[in-house]
Amino acid sequence: MSERTEIRGARHWRTGEPVDVTIEGGVIANVRPAGAKATTSGAIVEAAEAILAPGLVDIHVHLREPGQSSSETVESGAAAAAAGGFTAVACMPNTSPVVDNPGWIAWLLARARGVRCRVHPIAAVTVGQAGEQLTEFVSLEAAGAVALSDDGRPIQSAETMRRALEYARHTRLPILCHEEDLTLRGQGQMNEGATATRLGLRGIPNAAETVMVRRDLDLVELTGGRVHFCHLSCEGSFGAVRDAKRRGLEVTAETCPHYWTLTDEALIDFDTHAKMNPPLRSERDRDATIEAIGDGTIDCFATDHAPHTLEDKRQPFDQAPFGIVGLETALGLTITQLVKPGCLTLERALELWTEAPRRVLGLPEVRLEPSFPADLVLLDPHASWTVDPERFRSLGRNTPFGGWTLTGRALATWCGGVLTHMVPGLGAEGRHARPAGAGAR
Ligand SMILES: [Zn+2]
């Protein structure tokens, strides 16, 4: 890709200094103080002091392929990612069929060629995610899997989990754990507590998550294996991880924007768009989430982007599937709910969406320096916008944030130097940006 782009007058996400950046051949060619002389061939983007940062990375998305392309496709999910400022995503294997062999990893990588975001497949831990027979970790890694997970269908047998952790030590792959004891979840539909009682819905106790977090911490201690905890949602889980880290265990954890933004009160109108798993918890858990982000118990952010068709979500509450989309609201919810109230600096918030998830999965580094891949996002942390699910690039419209006014959004995204997203107006208001269309890997 020999496309050349000049980004002028952006603010460096770390130093805050105004910079001009040249992208050429898919990489950052140079970064210099704004206003320095440069050639003017190729596209020019006047950044008008918007922040330039490495592209966001989401290590927990559901792209629904193979098998459920009415909910999302690799292509539509990648377009949603680009619109949200993301340049890389890792996709979960709980598809139909399950991504549990090297053939499906190769299929996904082929499917992801030319889409608007880098796609890193995650492979199942057990065949068919049935929780019994382990998959071929070594050949899955060789085929390009970046992690292992039975997300959506957590491994109930401690013995199977022990063997998985031991086997995974022969690879560099972490096991991404969706922590849930299915016997404690039972027929639960939402967080157990006063709101569930008021609505007459069956509850899911915090313990459904915490007993599994504690089990797997014990198994990490036993095996020396490597675990990353997905979408942690409650006080007890954060406490257990905090304590484990203090004891020197090498574990990592993520949480998602909905857990620092909403509580189970969001379900008061039986809104299936707020039905998710783990469920939205209490105000106390929401506070604990923000505390765990602040003190480093949480290593990175992720969206758990889980698109469903409206038809599926319009079913009666107890039959509607769990999950919400997240790629196109993640940055706005981060800035609105964490940065604006002063819980987190913008720089730290961006770290948790960029360098931190790359570290968790061992993905190559992206720095705002010459010769690094031009995987970049130009973002306006002050832009106010209204969430309109009808305008999502994702096929999923299932969000509880429709109609919300958020602060902060991605103005433009480049993946491997290719422009993958630009808000209308940025190129039009006398600013000369030429959209390069799709095609990045
Ligand atoms: Zn999950």
Side-chain angles (χ1 to χ4, degrees):
M1 204 63 61
S2 59
E3 189 88 20
R4 188 188 164 95
T5 304
E6 292 274 340
I7 304 167
R8 289 184 177 169
R11 279 200 183 271
H12 193 293
W13 74 294
R14 281 224 182 269
T15 65
E17 295 298 319
V19 290
D20 292 345
V21 173
T22 307
I23 299 171
E24 199 167 7
V27 299
I28 298 169
N30 71 65
V31 181
R32 55 198 183 279
K37 207 170 155 45
T39 50
T40 51
S41 65
I44 296 169
V45 175
E46 295 292 350
E49 305 211 334
I51 305 277
L52 189 63
L56 313 189
V57 178
D58 188 352
I59 64 171
H60 194 142
V61 306
H62 298 274
L63 295 180
R64 302 299 189 211
E65 284 192 304
Q68 301 150 321
S69 54
S70 54
S71 296
E72 192 77 291
T73 64
V74 172
E75 191 179 8
S76 63
F86 290 86
T87 55
V89 298
C91 58
M92 284 296 178
N94 59 332
T95 47
S96 178
V98 170
V99 176
D100 61 4
N101 64 65
W104 281 121
I105 298 289
W107 184 88
L108 272 170
L109 288 171
R111 193 101 177 114
R113 217 165 283 140
V115 300
R116 289 176 179 245
C117 177
R118 296 180 204 267
V119 174
H120 301 285
I122 298 166
V125 180
T126 63
V127 175
Q129 290 193 319
E132 289 159 15
Q133 186 192 340
L134 299 183
T135 57
E136 298 284 344
F137 296 179
V138 174
S139 38
L140 286 162
E141 181 180 38
V146 293
L148 301 159
S149 183
D150 274 5
D151 184 46
R153 292 182 66 181
I155 298 168
Q156 298 300 293
S157 156
E159 198 271 335
T160 303
M161 189 63 185
R162 175 194 182 163
R163 281 190 291 118
L165 283 164
E166 283 167 348
Y167 182 19
R169 290 188 62 188
H170 298 284
T171 70
R172 284 166 305 149
L173 305 178
I175 297 184
L176 278 41
C177 296
H178 166 131
E179 298 297 27
E180 185 179 27
D181 181 305
L182 296 180
T183 62
L184 279 173
R185 190 232 281 184
Q187 298 301 310
Q189 299 292 320
M190 64 173 291
N191 185 45
E192 185 171 294
T195 311
T197 307
R198 217 178 325 150
L199 296 178
L201 291 171
R202 270 185 231 203
I204 304 170
N206 286 12
E209 178 174 303
T210 57
V211 296
M212 292 292 265
V213 169
R214 293 192 179 107
R215 179 199 79 175
D216 287 342
L217 286 169
D218 283 352
L219 293 177
V220 165
E221 212 151 17
L222 177 67
T223 61
R226 171 77 208 291
V227 147
H228 171 76
F229 295 108
C230 295
H231 46 52
L232 292 186
S233 68
C234 63
E235 190 180 27
S237 299
F238 301 128
V241 171
R242 188 177 289 124
D243 180 57
K245 286 183 167 186
R246 237 176 248 142
R247 287 184 289 128
L249 283 192
E250 283 192 44
V251 294
T252 54
E254 74 192 27
T255 191
C256 313
H258 34 276
Y259 300 118
W260 70 66
T261 303
L262 298 173
T263 67
D264 58 7
E265 301 263 336
L267 289 142
I268 206 77
D269 297 321
F270 295 93
D271 181 6
T272 59
H273 287 336
K275 180 180 178 182
M276 60 196 78
N277 189 14
L280 295 169
R281 307 281 189 187
S282 66
E283 186 63 30
R284 180 173 170 155
D285 292 306
R286 194 179 77 89
D287 289 344
T289 306
I290 295 171
E291 189 190 346
I293 293 166
D295 73 8
T297 301
I298 288 297
D299 295 89
C300 73
F301 294 153
T303 66
D304 194 7
H305 177 81
H308 291 289
T309 61
L310 279 182
E311 203 174 36
D312 283 343
K313 276 289 194 181
R314 276 182 186 143
Q315 296 179 92
F317 195 92
D318 60 340
Q319 282 157 47
F322 292 100
I324 66 167
V325 291
L327 286 165
E328 292 169 80
T329 49
L331 182 61
L333 288 170
T334 304
I335 292 175
T336 308
Q337 298 291 325
L338 296 178
V339 178
K340 254 177 100 177
C343 305
L344 218 53
T345 64
L346 179 63
E347 185 183 357
R348 177 65 183 148
L350 290 174
E351 249 174 36
L352 289 165
W353 278 120
T354 56
E355 294 175 353
R358 286 184 180 279
R359 268 198 299 275
V360 168
L361 290 194
L363 301 177
E365 239 187 310
V366 173
R367 281 196 240 149
L368 199 46
E369 288 173 23
S371 79
F372 279 90
D375 286 14
L376 300 170
V377 61
L378 184 68
L379 62 100
D380 182 349
H382 307 295
S384 175
W385 61 287
T386 302
V387 180
D388 178 2
E390 291 306 315
R391 302 185 64 180
F392 281 167
R393 306 316 192 276
S394 170
L395 300 185
R397 304 282 179 263
N398 48 311
T399 176
F401 304 114
W404 281 44
T405 298
L406 299 181
T407 302
R409 76 184 306 186
L411 302 177
T413 311
W414 293 265
C415 186
V418 175
L419 183 69
T420 52
H421 158 72
M422 184 173 273
V423 294
L426 188 69
E429 291 161 17
R431 297 159 177 172
H432 325 283
R434 198 154 37 85
R441 243 215 80 74

